[in-house]
Amino acid sequence: MGQSPVAKIYLEKRAGNAVTVISGLHTYGTARLETMARELKLRFGTGGTVKEGKIEIQGDKVDLVRAWFKEK
């Protein structure tokens, strides 16, 4: 049996702005990542995108994203 990928959640500063990055889930495929990003953006009322197999959420949402993953 294969193991589920482990999400790595960390904060990046870009041009003075904080971006929460979720990596390590590239094996899920773009469609599934897009769905997850959409749900996170709605939940936290912020913008975000999927780039190069990573979900990027605007702002420092590291703790909120971790809590969201624990719920799932």
Side-chain angles (χ1 to χ4, degrees):
M1 247 192 286
Q3 285 188 321
S4 294
V6 176
K8 294 165 194 70
I9 304 162
Y10 55 94
L11 190 66
E12 284 187 5
K13 295 279 187 177
R14 298 186 187 164
N17 297 319
V19 178
T20 301
V21 180
I22 305 155
S23 66
L25 302 178
H26 55 278
T27 57
Y28 280 6
T30 304
R32 189 166 175 192
L33 291 177
E34 292 280 356
T35 300
M36 292 170 72
R38 191 174 315 114
E39 190 174 331
L40 288 165
K41 291 188 300 185
L42 282 170
R43 176 88 170 257
F44 305 134
T46 190
T49 189
V50 174
K51 268 192 214 168
E52 300 169 8
K54 298 177 185 174
I55 299 173
E56 299 179 356
I57 302 295
Q58 292 176 355
D60 182 352
K61 309 288 187 207
V62 173
D63 292 337
L64 294 172
V65 170
R66 282 194 178 121
W68 182 82
F69 271 99
K70 284 180 183 166
E71 284 177 20
K72 295 289 171 186

